[in-house]
C-alpha cells in the first residue's frame, strides 16, 4: 500500500504530498477514476505539467555528484 486515504463528508480524497510530487500532480489536474475487478484505479489525465518527459525531472532524486553533459553523452560533443 502506497498511501491511506480518507473520504471526506463531501466525497473528497486528499492525495498525500509525496505521491503528488512523484506523479507531478498540481492543483487543477484531472484524474480518471475507473472501477476494476480488483478495486478502483485512479489515472492522471492531461496534467497541467504535461505528459512529456519534463514531468519526470527530479523524480529519482539523484544524490551523487553533478555529471557534466559531455560525460553523459559524448556523442553530442564529438568532433567530426
Amino acid at each position: 500500500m502506497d498511501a491511506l486515504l480518507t473520504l471526506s463528508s463531501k466525497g473528497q480524497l486528499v492525495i498525500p504530498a509525496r505521491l503528488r510530487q512523484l506523479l507531478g500532480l498540481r492543483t487543477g489536474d484531472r484524474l480518471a477514476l475507473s472501477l476494476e475487478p480488483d478495486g478502483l484505479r485512479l489515472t492522471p489525465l492531461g496534467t497541467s505539467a504535461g505528459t512529456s518527459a519534463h514531468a519526470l525531472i527530479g523524480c529519482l532524486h539523484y544524490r551523487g555528484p553533478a555529471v557534466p553533459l559531455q560525460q553523459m553523452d559524448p556523442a553530442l560533443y564529438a568532433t567530426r
Side-chain angles (χ1 to χ4, degrees):
M1 174 177 5
D2 290 318
L4 182 62
L5 307 177
T6 303
L7 189 64
S8 76
S9 61
K10 293 182 179 182
Q12 298 169 328
L13 292 174
V14 174
I15 301 171
R18 179 179 58 87
L19 291 178
R20 290 194 314 267
Q21 289 171 347
L22 285 172
L23 294 170
L25 295 174
R26 298 215 163 94
T27 301
D29 287 349
R30 297 173 55 92
L31 301 135
L33 181 66
S34 55
L35 184 59
E36 302 286 328
D38 59 342
L40 299 173
R41 178 184 300 247
L42 193 60
T43 308
L45 297 176
T47 62
S48 62
T51 54
S52 68
H54 290 286
L56 299 175
I57 292 174
C59 71
L60 296 180
H61 305 288
Y62 177 70
R63 304 251 188 258
V67 179
L69 289 175
Q70 292 88 341
Q71 242 181 308
M72 288 185 212
D73 194 348
L76 292 174
Y77 297 92
T79 56
R80 297 176 191 191

